[in-house]
Amino acid sequence: MSGTITLTRRSGFQLRPRPYKVWIDGISVGRLAQNGAAEFAVDPGVHLVELSLDGMYSKKVQVEVPEGATRRLHCGANGPLAFSAFGLLLPGLAIKLTLTH
């Protein structure tokens, strides 16, 4: 049996409303559109989730997924300066990724 990681992306100020690339355990597993949601089946255990777009990225979030369980994360731009020159200087702060359950 497996578990599930669910990601939702809220709307908000975004200069680049293109899909984020979703990474689980260092492997690109899909994309997440603005105002979208996506589910990814994973083996039970601890996983690292990260998002990226144009060289900018979120912090890696460690997620423990028990067998048969779903873990939820929300994401979005980390403020109106995220994809400006500020985002280029500090690319790891451009995307906010938060474990909610």
Side-chain angles (χ1 to χ4, degrees):
M1 190 167 197
S2 65
T4 305
I5 293 176
T6 300
L7 292 154
T8 55
R9 181 176 171 188
R10 63 182 180 268
S11 64
F13 180 80
Q14 188 101 42
L15 290 174
R16 300 176 182 191
R18 296 188 312 275
Y20 292 157
K21 185 180 267 190
V22 179
W23 301 83
I24 298 178
D25 299 328
I27 299 169
S28 176
V29 294
R31 296 191 176 271
L32 181 60
Q34 187 169 353
N35 296 317
E39 290 187 353
F40 302 95
V42 295
D43 291 331
V46 177
H47 299 279
L48 288 176
V49 180
E50 183 180 16
L51 303 172
S52 67
L53 175 65
D54 295 342
M56 290 171 257
Y57 49 90
S58 68
K59 292 183 178 181
K60 292 178 182 170
V61 175
Q62 184 172 303
V63 180
E64 185 169 353
V65 183
E67 187 171 319
T70 297
R71 291 294 179 250
R72 293 176 176 81
L73 297 101
H74 292 285
C75 66
N78 201 6
L81 298 177
F83 291 98
S84 65
F86 173 77
L88 295 174
L89 293 172
L90 299 168
L93 299 178
I95 302 169
K96 184 175 184 179
L97 180 61
T98 307
L99 179 64
T100 60
H101 174 261

